[in-house]
Amino acid sequence: MMKKLQLALQINKLNKIYSDGTVALKSISFEVNKGDFFGLLGPNGAGKTTAIEIITSITNKTSGSVTINNIDIDSNFPLAKKKLGFVPQELNFNIFETPLQIILKQAGYYGIMRKDVTSRAEYLLKKLRLWDKKDTPCRNLSGGMKRRLMIVRALIHEPELLLLDEPTAGIDVELRREMLSFIKEINNSGTTIILTTHYLEEAESLCNNVAIIDNGEIIKKSSVKDLIKTLDTETFILNLENNISTAPKILDYNFTMIDSNTLAVEINNKQNLNDLFSKLSKSKIKVLSLKNKANRLEEYFIKLTENKIR
Amino acid sequence: MKNLCLVSLYTLLRAEILRITRIWPQTIIPPIITSTLYYLIFGKLIGTRIGTMAGTDYIVFITPGLIIMSLITNSYMNVVSSFYFARFSKSIEEILISPMLNLVILIGYISAGIFRGMIVAFLVLLVSLFFTSIKLYSICLTIFIAFLASLLMSLFGFLNGMFARTFDDTTIVSTFLLTPLIYLGGIFYTTSLLPKPWDLIATLNPILHIVNAFRYAMIGVTDVNVINAILIIILSCVLLTVISLILLTKGYGIRK
Ligand SMILES: Nc1ncnc2c1ncn2[C@@H]1O[C@H](COP(=O)(O)OP(=O)(O)OP(=O)(O)O)[C@@H](O)[C@H]1O
Ligand SMILES: [Mg+2]
């Protein structure tokens, strides 16, 4: 039996021209299925935040349509926003208020009474390790704490669609890992997630589908699996035992010297490392260790957008 | 939906009132100090030399003016600074992303302005009791006009907070428009003292109508027709409400 996938978000020919004339989005279209973990990737200034802020109503669209859970935002935006959660890229709370005040207030704006949400507030604050700080004015929180607070705030009303605009920027490694596994947990329990991030290993490990946006246009829509399959080369960094003066010339392999004992080599999907190593040792080059130059999605991304940095 | 409106309104109003009480040295204390100074200088020192104004003791004459002046400035300042700060700090986005209706947003901010205006007016009234005694002409009318005046000034503050591009813009209007209108609004004198045609020109000042309507309600003395004054205030409120709602719907100054 074919089951039609329900859409959490449908964006059609969306355009945005800011009042100063900046064209931020050029007729972009994409869809996100219910339950998906969707990545919106792209270089600085590509239009990711613009797209996300249009979905949340912080930014007005110039033209095009946006449908959230089958509700067209032009017909009933308040209803569409009821089950929407949003973590912005920049801090947007009153720094004189405390985390608890901010969260309970946000719940109230969604029509949830304080007494109905106190236990959830406690659970989320503890989960994101902010419980100790719940009564501290936010101006006294660290940068990472402020960002975690915005995640708690976005989850307080149990959203069905969660928009995360670079939620992990400035959060330390351990907490980031914890936070991402929590976000994954939320996704597993049915919440649709749209994530923008510059940490592509994050996108690779979390997202099922991605859209890559550049200069206001979507230049690629695909599942992460398929994207990685299309990568035909991978770059490895080799750490050598002895110093060399020039990059070795070995048939079929493309070496670049990084310094006197570090080499980069591109391996395509028809080559293998065993062959490379045996040819290197014939040339008296001994490899101490190797590592991937970047993660695979990152390589794909760089190829796609290189020479386009503005 | 009804639940959403009520809970979100309660939440916004609660946050706004918390703000007023959190910064009480800036919100509650200054009007008490200034009105005390006015009473000492204009009431006690100079007032005794002036004698009567419009047939009443000068200190009694200025009391409604001083009360309504505090109410006007505090209602206005509360909304303009709170709303502008919410825009400036982007915390307005907490409201924008929620399903709250524009009308509820407006009512929330305006109610807080009315709240502060009324509290301050009451405190200044208490201060006045140290200097003079007043028999209220009509309690109901006094409260009604105080309410209308704070409603109007809150709406005015809301629009100012919406149009302001910088912090300076929030003070420009109060320095160059509101303060002159207040001082020329007949708090300290009756328009019958003004030479022609200034007595007529003065009636173009909306604050004059507020001051006189309030003075009539408190002590039964007025320069203008009170019914007209009330109608002018109500019509202005309606007009500013409609403008505010249209701008909110367009997202003027708050949505990019
Ligand atoms: N309020 C604004 N007014 C005018 N132009 C804007 C505004 N906000 C963003 N832009 C412009 O729109 C374009 C897209 O910006 P946007 O913030 O959406 O990029 P982004 O993909 O989120 O970038 P980043 O990765 O740096 O967050 C940029 O050229 C930016 O300068
Ligand atoms: Mg961005």
Side-chain angles (χ1 to χ4, degrees), chain B residues 133-167:
Chain B
S133 64
I134 284 178
K135 197 175 160 298
L136 278 185
Y137 183 74
S138 162
I139 292 187
C140 291
L141 194 60
T142 303
I143 295 175
F144 178 63
I145 289 174
F147 170 80
L148 279 184
S150 54
L151 171 63
L152 180 62
M153 296 320 291
S154 299
L155 283 163
F156 187 55
F158 188 81
L159 282 172
N160 190 182
M162 188 172 243
F163 279 104
R165 292 264 165 266
T166 63
F167 253 112

Side-chain angles (χ1 to χ4, degrees), chain A residues 214-272:
Chain A
D214 187 26
N215 200 13
E217 285 172 295
I218 293 205
I219 51 176
K220 185 85 193 172
K221 274 184 277 195
S222 162
S223 75
V224 172
K225 270 195 205 123
D226 290 347
L227 262 191
I228 287 167
K229 261 192 229 152
T230 61
L231 272 180
D232 47 8
T233 64
E234 198 166 354
T235 308
F236 289 95
I237 306 288
L238 307 178
N239 219 331
L240 311 179
E241 191 184 58
N242 30 6
N243 287 348
I244 51 169
S245 51
T246 52
K249 300 228 162 21
I250 296 174
L251 202 64
D252 296 339
Y253 292 99
N254 189 3
F255 291 98
T256 349
M257 260 188 72
I258 294 175
D259 59 38
S260 59
N261 58 358
T262 318
L263 273 181
V265 60
E266 268 187 27
I267 307 265
N268 65 39
N269 47 15
K270 294 192 187 69
Q271 297 171 320
N272 66 64

Side-chain angles (χ1 to χ4, degrees), chain A residues 44-45 47-50 89 165-166 196 198:
Chain A
N44 286 144
K48 304 177 296 292
T49 299
T50 303
Q89 183 173 9
D165 198 355
E166 304 197 25
T196 83
H198 289 286

Side-chain angles (χ1 to χ4, degrees), chain B residues 29-254:
Chain B
I29 300 300
I32 295 179
I33 295 177
T34 40
S35 61
T36 307
L37 290 172
Y38 275 118
Y39 272 116
L40 282 174
I41 296 167
F42 289 99
K44 288 282 168 203
L45 291 177
I46 301 177
T48 46
R49 296 203 174 195
I50 294 176
T52 62
M53 176 82 63
T56 44
D57 271 351
Y58 190 62
I59 196 164
V60 175
F61 179 84
I62 62 169
T63 295
L66 291 179
I67 293 175
I68 205 78
M69 176 167 75
S70 309
L71 176 137
I72 284 173
T73 42
N74 279 278
S75 294
Y76 164 82
M77 281 309 293
N78 195 69
V79 184
V80 76
S81 46
S82 173
F83 190 56
Y84 179 74
F85 181 75
R87 284 180 53 213
F88 176 78
S89 68
K90 289 171 162 237
S91 61
I92 188 79
E93 291 181 1
E94 292 175 338
I95 293 174
L96 296 182
I97 62 164
S98 79
M100 244 172 124
L101 302 181
N102 290 329
L103 181 65
V104 175
I105 300 174
L106 184 65
I107 295 177
Y109 276 102
I110 299 308
S111 308
I114 295 174
F115 172 82
R116 173 157 150 205
M118 293 295 225
I119 295 275
V120 164
F122 182 71
L123 292 174
V124 176
L125 177 70
L126 292 185
V127 169
S128 76
L129 296 181
F130 285 98
F131 297 93
T132 177
S133 64
I134 284 178
K135 197 175 160 298
L136 278 185
Y137 183 74
S138 162
I139 292 187
C140 291
L141 194 60
T142 303
I143 295 175
F144 178 63
I145 289 174
F147 170 80
L148 279 184
S150 54
L151 171 63
L152 180 62
M153 296 320 291
S154 299
L155 283 163
F156 187 55
F158 188 81
L159 282 172
N160 190 182
M162 188 172 243
F163 279 104
R165 292 264 165 266
T166 63
F167 253 112
D168 287 342
D169 291 348
T170 64
T171 53
I172 283 175
V173 177
S174 83
T175 313
F176 292 100
L177 185 68
L178 197 59
T179 310
L181 287 182
I182 289 174
Y183 280 90
L184 298 173
I187 292 172
F188 298 105
Y189 55 83
T190 90
T191 49
S192 59
L193 293 183
L194 297 175
K196 281 193 189 328
W198 292 103
D199 54 343
L200 278 178
I201 292 174
T203 59
L204 296 176
N205 176 359
I207 307 275
L208 182 91
H209 293 272
I210 297 176
V211 170
N212 276 282
F214 191 67
R215 180 175 290 134
Y216 176 77
M218 276 192 80
I219 61 174
V221 174
T222 176
D223 292 340
V224 300
N225 182 319
V226 174
I227 304 287
N228 279 349
I230 292 176
L231 284 178
I232 289 172
I233 302 170
I234 291 179
L235 281 178
S236 310
C237 288
V238 172
L239 184 70
L240 294 192
T241 305
V242 171
I243 295 175
S244 302
L245 283 176
I246 291 174
L247 291 175
L248 269 175
T249 310
K250 289 210 159 118
Y252 186 89
I254 49 174

Side-chain angles (χ1 to χ4, degrees), chain A residues 16 18 53 56-60 78 81-82 86 90-94 96-97 101-102 105-106 108-114 153, chain B residues 1 3-4 7-8 10-12 14-15 18 22 85 89-101 250-251 254-256:
Chain A
K16 175 64 186 178
Y18 280 105
E53 289 192 342
T56 61
S57 87
I58 289 174
T59 298
N60 285 330
K81 284 192 281 187
K82 264 195 133 160
F86 172 50
E90 285 170 36
L91 302 182
N92 68 347
F93 48 75
N94 183 340
F96 299 106
E97 293 175 336
Q101 282 173 339
I102 287 173
K105 200 173 65 168
Q106 188 69 71
Y109 292 156
Y110 284 96
I112 310 167
M113 282 195 278
R114 301 168 75 80
R153 187 182 61 180
Chain B
M1 200 64 201
N3 204 33
L4 167 69
V7 176
S8 57
Y10 167 79
T11 306
L12 176 55
R14 186 177 191 280
L18 271 178
R22 184 174 57 227
F85 181 75
S89 68
K90 289 171 162 237
S91 61
I92 188 79
E93 291 181 1
E94 292 175 338
I95 293 174
L96 296 182
I97 62 164
S98 79
M100 244 172 124
L101 302 181
K250 289 210 159 118
I254 49 174
R255 297 188 207 265
K256 290 174 232 168

